[in-house]
Amino acid sequence: QVQLVETGGGSVQPGESLTLSCTASEGISGIDNMAWYRQAPGKQRELVASITYGEVKKYTNSVKGRFTISRDDVKRTVLLQMNSLKPEDTAVYYCNANLQPVNREVYSSWWGQGTQVTVSS
């Protein structure tokens, strides 16, 4: 059973940092695009950052210069380093990845369970 497991959420004060980690379970023969989304209460889920297999990175404007996305395909992991956190970054953060399970010929989109990030003084 393919899963994406996220860790690293928590409660911090404005200006502090957090690193989110998302690891795909074993049984994967390929990983394509990986991304982090977030959803704040009462708002739609939005794309925060993405990284392609060739490590082309994109960020939503509100996090540029503060967040960094990276990946380690050997560890089947994508990270989101979040610096200078603001109250408006408060949300549930979701990992998303296009994965090819070993018993399938095509890639499909998988989601993690979400991890809460709260930024408050």
Side-chain angles (χ1 to χ4, degrees), residues 50-104:
S50 63
I51 183 168
T52 67
Y53 178 75
E55 302 208 18
V56 175
K57 304 175 184 180
K58 293 184 179 179
Y59 300 92
T60 191
N61 285 339
S62 63
V63 308
K64 286 181 180 177
R66 300 189 297 122
F67 290 11
T68 302
I69 190 170
S70 60
R71 61 189 286 166
D72 184 332
D73 289 344
V74 174
K75 297 180 179 179
R76 304 183 308 281
T77 295
V78 59
L79 301 177
L80 186 68
Q81 173 68 43
M82 305 184 294
N83 297 328
S84 303
L85 282 161
K86 303 177 181 180
E88 51 264 42
D89 295 317
T90 295
V92 177
Y93 284 70
Y94 296 91
C95 172
N96 174 261
N98 290 330
L99 306 174
Q100 181 185 23
V102 295
N103 59 346
R104 298 185 186 178

Side-chain angles (χ1 to χ4, degrees), residues 3-40:
Q3 287 183 320
L4 291 175
V5 179
E6 300 144 346
T7 58
S11 295
V12 296
Q13 294 187 343
E16 294 186 340
S17 299
L18 279 175
T19 300
L20 304 183
S21 177
C22 172
T23 300
S25 58
E26 295 185 356
I28 301 297
S29 59
I31 304 176
D32 198 358
N33 291 355
M34 307 183 85
W36 287 94
Y37 288 74
R38 68 186 178 187
Q39 187 166 19

